């Protein structure tokens, strides 16, 4: 009885360990992806957060960046820069691949295989992006923003816990 119970527990643990996030782009087939990271975006006053997820594709990879909005005409568009921990910068060109679902706008940017290798070796430090839309009274904030790889807004000098996400390890595991 104990042997069966221990085997069942091992099976459940291995199932959860192998469970992986997926990402699909506008109804395409699902790609293996990292978890959905919540980066801190201090200048974006509506939520102060941007969600970031990276998936591996046949031709390299895809970055999905999402923010909450009040207006479905607001979009993340234009070029985007991914700043890495070692100081490298990966520029991404806007391919006009975006969607708005339930008050959240998402844009997709594509990586080459060489850029995916850089992402596997270095953590993402920040992502610089542009929000465009109508500038109406009580509308969404537009302009240039940076989503920083931080787990929380505040910490003390005595807090020795990890304060950033290990994006390089997660991308390497894809």
């Amino acid at each position: 009885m104990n042997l069966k119970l221990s085997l069942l527990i091992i099976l459940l643990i291995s199932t959860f360990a192998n469970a992986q996030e997926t990402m699909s782009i506008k109804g395409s087939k699902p790609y293996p992806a990292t978890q959905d990271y919540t980066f801190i975006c201090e200048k974006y006053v509506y939520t102060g957060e941007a969600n970031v997820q990276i998936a591996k594709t046949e031709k390299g990879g895809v970055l999905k960046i999402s923010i909450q909005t009040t207006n479905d005409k607001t979009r993340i568009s234009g070029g985007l820069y991914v700043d890495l921990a070692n100081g490298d910068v990966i520029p991404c060109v806007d391919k006009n691949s975006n969607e708005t679902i339930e008050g959240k706008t998402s844009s997709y940017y594509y990586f080459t295989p060489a850029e995916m290798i850089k992402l596997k070796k270095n953590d993402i430090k920040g992502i610089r992006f542009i929000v465009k839309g109508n500038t109406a009274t009580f509308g969404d904030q537009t302009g240039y923003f940076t989503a920083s790889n931080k787990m929380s807004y505040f910490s003390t000098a005595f807090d020795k816990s990890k304060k950033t996400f290990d994006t390089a390890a997660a991308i390497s595991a894809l």
Side-chain angles (χ1 to χ4, degrees), residues 123-143:
D123 284 332
I124 295 173
K125 182 178 178 186
I127 299 174
R128 294 177 281 157
F129 61 97
I130 304 169
V131 176
K132 294 183 181 177
N134 295 350
T135 54
T137 306
F138 300 109
D140 286 314
Q141 188 178 4
T142 58

Side-chain angles (χ1 to χ4, degrees), residues 137-154:
T137 306
F138 300 109
D140 286 314
Q141 188 178 4
T142 58
Y144 298 89
F145 300 95
T146 301
S148 300
N149 183 356
K150 295 182 190 176
M151 290 185 178
S152 63
Y153 277 101
F154 305 106

